[in-house]
Amino acid sequence: TGATSSFALANGQAAQKLNAQFATLTADSSCTDGEDACIGSSFAKCVNGNYVLMECNTGAGLTCAALPLVNSAGTSITCTTQADALARIAATGATGG
């Protein structure tokens, strides 16, 4: 677990930073082609400089969030529950939600 812990906290903090950035985005925000993001509860992909939104299943309690990867450095963006996202970030040792 030594190797895991070396990037776990950084991944958690990176996920927090992304989620904070996503909170400021709207469907009209400018973007770079191929970039993924969350806008509201929707997963968003940048196509031709504009975000295309794909709604997460909010009826099932899902929302879009950046999550820390577990086995390598980095983050992923996916539809998940708010509780799961908070638990995964907290498990890295990152604090503040």
Side-chain angles (χ1 to χ4, degrees):
T1 59
T4 301
S5 63
S6 67
F7 57 75
L9 179 59
N11 287 358
Q13 291 169 335
Q16 288 176 316
K17 183 177 178 183
L18 281 172
N19 287 321
Q21 290 173 348
F22 295 160
T24 68
L25 296 177
T26 68
D28 297 325
S29 295
S30 62
C31 58
T32 303
D33 283 4
E35 180 180 22
D36 294 333
C38 296
I39 297 178
S41 62
S42 297
F43 180 88
K45 184 162 210 67
C46 188
V47 178
N48 296 325
N50 296 300
Y51 280 117
V52 175
L53 276 57
M54 293 157 272
E55 185 65 39
C56 293
N57 187 348
T58 54
L62 299 180
T63 189
C64 185
L67 299 175
L69 294 180
V70 175
N71 296 317
S72 61
T75 59
S76 65
I77 301 169
T78 189
C79 292
T80 186
T81 64
Q82 185 73 20
D84 181 58
L86 292 173
R88 288 178 189 234
I89 291 171
T92 67
T95 57

